[in-house]
Amino acid sequence: MDKQEQQNSSVTESAEDALRHIVEGFRRFRRDVFPQQQALFKKLAHAQAPRAMFITCADSRIVPDLITQSDPGDLFVTRNVGNVVPPYGQMMGGVSTAIEYAVMALGVHHIIVCGHSDCGAMKAVLDPQTLERMPTVKAWLRHAEVAKTVVAENCGCADHNTLEILTEENVVAQLDHLRTHPAVAARLASGQLFIHGWVYDIETCAIRAYDAETGEFRAIDEGPLPMATPRARYPQG
Ligand code: ZN
């Protein structure tokens, strides 16, 4: 076996291991976990009534159900690179479809947009050269361009925490985009829908939430939750 063959074989082996791990996990789930939650899955078999829609990054380190201790059926999750919400009308894609469905068909009362620390997408927005061979990612991340401009115009370039600030600004930008969707705008106006902007820190397990009134992100601790929802103009009786 020459060197190249050895390399290939080790790559194949590790790919096989990766899949085996996933399939064995499923078997363990079916054998050990599923029987304990059978009643829940029976209830969920024909209907869902999620507590919230959760829009976050595709990053494997963010596990919405785990960090919010949610059960199956609790969260309607949509994930993509950079937790992006394209503005209404620009792209009738998966995110816009999921938003419309969550609001109109499922009647969710909360939409959470959740960014995170060490986000590869945000790093790429700061350093677009890394995307030269990824035209699709590059095109997608133009929806985060607004956040980059806000940071560039308002924060000193010597800021050591540019990535952190950009990550927060991106969440604010995506909340703005979210409000351009007619279904969202209508239910916000009637006070039936609440929107939330979070940034989750992988290492410390902290979540900071956007407070639209002060324009700042504050830790979700005890006390009142920072709110990103604009005032309802047509509150329902
Ligand atoms: Zn990310």
Side-chain angles (χ1 to χ4, degrees), residues 61-136:
R61 298 166 294 177
I62 317 306
V63 188
D65 299 310
L66 180 70
I67 65 173
T68 63
Q69 290 292 283
S70 295
D71 285 324
D74 286 349
L75 294 181
F76 189 75
V77 178
T78 296
R79 311 184 65 148
N80 64 69
V81 171
N83 41 274
V84 160
V85 177
Y88 180 74
Q90 283 195 19
M91 190 178 277
M92 298 302 215
V95 183
S96 307
T97 304
I99 290 166
E100 199 171 88
Y101 187 78
V103 173
M104 302 305 292
L106 300 176
V108 298
H109 294 298
H110 297 276
I111 301 180
I112 297 158
V113 176
C114 186
H116 67 97
S117 60
D118 196 50
C119 182
M122 293 302 103
K123 289 178 185 173
V125 169
L126 287 175
D127 188 8
Q129 280 177 342
T130 56
L131 296 178
E132 280 319 309
R133 292 174 61 214
M134 290 182 264
T136 314

Side-chain angles (χ1 to χ4, degrees), residues 202-214:
I202 294 165
E203 193 173 349
T204 65
C205 187
I207 289 179
R208 289 162 63 76
Y210 180 59
D211 185 331
E213 213 157 289
T214 63

Side-chain angles (χ1 to χ4, degrees), residues 6-233:
Q6 265 176 3
Q7 269 179 354
N8 285 346
S9 118
S10 79
V11 166
T12 311
E13 218 165 62
S14 114
E16 275 174 8
D17 276 353
L19 185 63
R20 188 179 308 123
H21 195 86
I22 290 168
V23 172
E24 277 172 6
F26 164 66
R27 288 175 181 147
R28 261 199 325 276
F29 171 75
R30 191 167 61 178
R31 190 185 61 228
D32 304 334
V33 182
F34 179 78
Q36 295 167 25
Q37 300 193 1
Q38 215 155 358
L40 173 64
F41 285 109
K42 192 168 184 199
K43 195 180 103 190
L44 291 173
H46 302 292
Q48 62 168 327
R51 290 205 172 103
M53 178 177 197
F54 200 96
I55 302 174
T56 192
C57 189
D59 193 300
S60 62
R61 298 166 294 177
I62 317 306
V63 188
D65 299 310
L66 180 70
I67 65 173
T68 63
Q69 290 292 283
S70 295
D71 285 324
D74 286 349
L75 294 181
F76 189 75
V77 178
T78 296
R79 311 184 65 148
N80 64 69
V81 171
N83 41 274
V84 160
V85 177
Y88 180 74
Q90 283 195 19
M91 190 178 277
M92 298 302 215
V95 183
S96 307
T97 304
I99 290 166
E100 199 171 88
Y101 187 78
V103 173
M104 302 305 292
L106 300 176
V108 298
H109 294 298
H110 297 276
I111 301 180
I112 297 158
V113 176
C114 186
H116 67 97
S117 60
D118 196 50
C119 182
M122 293 302 103
K123 289 178 185 173
V125 169
L126 287 175
D127 188 8
Q129 280 177 342
T130 56
L131 296 178
E132 280 319 309
R133 292 174 61 214
M134 290 182 264
T136 314
V137 179
K138 193 176 176 181
W140 177 249
L141 288 178
R142 75 175 188 274
H143 297 301
E145 198 64 30
V146 55
K148 187 184 181 182
T149 308
V150 169
V151 173
E153 298 271 321
N154 296 289
C155 307
C157 57
D159 254 323
H160 295 302
N161 47 0
T162 306
L163 180 63
E164 203 177 305
I165 298 169
L166 178 72
T167 302
E168 291 185 350
E169 280 304 326
N170 180 53
V171 167
V172 174
Q174 305 316 326
L175 286 175
D176 288 344
H177 294 169
L178 187 58
R179 291 169 60 183
T180 66
H181 290 253
V184 172
R187 301 248 165 141
L188 283 173
S190 63
Q192 294 169 293
L193 179 67
F194 302 89
I195 58 175
H196 311 270
W198 293 2
V199 174
Y200 166 70
D201 189 291
I202 294 165
E203 193 173 349
T204 65
C205 187
I207 289 179
R208 289 162 63 76
Y210 180 59
D211 185 331
E213 213 157 289
T214 63
E216 287 171 347
F217 279 76
R218 281 194 285 117
I220 292 186
D221 286 319
E222 306 305 318
L225 199 63
M227 295 297 283
T229 310
R231 186 181 294 273
R233 296 190 302 286

